[in-house]
């Protein structure tokens, strides 16, 4: 993530996608933007929000390792991988009854079938269909 992707005044980030997924502009919460500003003050000369000890961008393998170690530190009984954060986001939004097209756009999916998997398992999808 580069500093230039962030609109500091608007509190948004331009999300570039890999694998030809659709880019988007997404909002930050107040806490997130304050935390990012703090990082920017600590490392004002860096073009990267998160950087390695060599002041460059974090390598993919480094990020994977950080997420794996976080799962171990949390005492989870199964191995964690970075893509689980993406899955968790999809399931979380689906369980909050967020519109499937909104989830598709948020995750950057080009094809709706990639998004439908989250809503198929949503525990709340049938709540409120009938009046008591």
């Amino acid at each position: 993530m580069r500093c230039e992707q962030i609109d500091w005044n608007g509190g948004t980030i331009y999300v570039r996608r890999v694998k030809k997924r659709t880019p988007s502009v997404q909002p930050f919460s107040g806490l997130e933007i304050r935390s990012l500003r703090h990082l920017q003050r600590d490392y004002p000369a860096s073009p990267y929000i998160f950087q390695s000890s060599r002041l460059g961008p974090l390598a993919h393998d480094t990020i994977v390792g950080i997420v794996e170690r976080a799962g171990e530190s949390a005492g989870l009984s199964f191995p964690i991988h970075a893509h689980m954060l993406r899955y968790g986001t999809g399931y979380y939004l689906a369980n909050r009854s967020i519109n499937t097209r909104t989830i598709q756009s948020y995750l950057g999916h080009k094809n709706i079938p990639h998004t439908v998997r989250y809503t198929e398992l949503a525990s709340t999808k049938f709540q409120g269909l009938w009046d008591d």
Side-chain angles (χ1 to χ4, degrees), residues 13-24:
I13 182 169
Y14 174 75
V15 180
R16 293 184 195 133
R17 309 278 186 184
V18 295
K19 297 183 183 180
K20 299 181 182 176
R21 291 189 175 126
T22 307
S24 66

Side-chain angles (χ1 to χ4, degrees), residues 17 22-24 26 100-109 115:
R17 309 278 186 184
T22 307
S24 66
Q26 298 184 5
T100 305
R101 290 289 183 183
T102 301
I103 298 170
Q104 177 187 14
S105 180
Y106 190 80
L107 295 176
H109 291 157
T115 310

Side-chain angles (χ1 to χ4, degrees), residues 82-94:
H83 209 71
M84 287 174 145
L85 298 172
R86 185 174 174 80
Y87 298 151
T89 299
Y91 289 119
Y92 172 79
L93 294 173

Side-chain angles (χ1 to χ4, degrees), residues 29-125:
S29 71
L31 177 62
E32 291 167 331
I33 199 73
R34 284 189 297 278
S35 297
L36 290 170
R37 284 184 193 276
H38 183 74
L39 276 174
Q40 188 184 37
R41 280 192 299 274
D42 288 348
Y43 304 98
S46 176
Y48 304 104
I49 297 294
F50 306 105
Q51 60 185 352
S52 70
S53 58
R54 295 185 179 124
L55 306 180
L58 290 177
H60 179 267
D61 291 342
T62 302
I63 296 167
V64 167
I66 291 169
V67 173
E68 286 175 358
R69 285 189 301 280
E72 292 166 3
S73 294
L76 298 176
S77 60
F78 50 90
I80 301 300
H81 57 85
H83 209 71
M84 287 174 145
L85 298 172
R86 185 174 174 80
Y87 298 151
T89 299
Y91 289 119
Y92 172 79
L93 294 173
N95 278 312
R96 289 194 55 220
S97 301
I98 302 299
N99 176 287
T100 305
R101 290 289 183 183
T102 301
I103 298 170
Q104 177 187 14
S105 180
Y106 190 80
L107 295 176
H109 291 157
K110 285 199 179 272
N111 300 310
I112 195 75
H114 297 156
T115 310
V116 169
R117 77 177 110 192
Y118 301 114
T119 58
E120 287 175 342
L121 296 176
S123 62
T124 59
K125 70 180 179 180

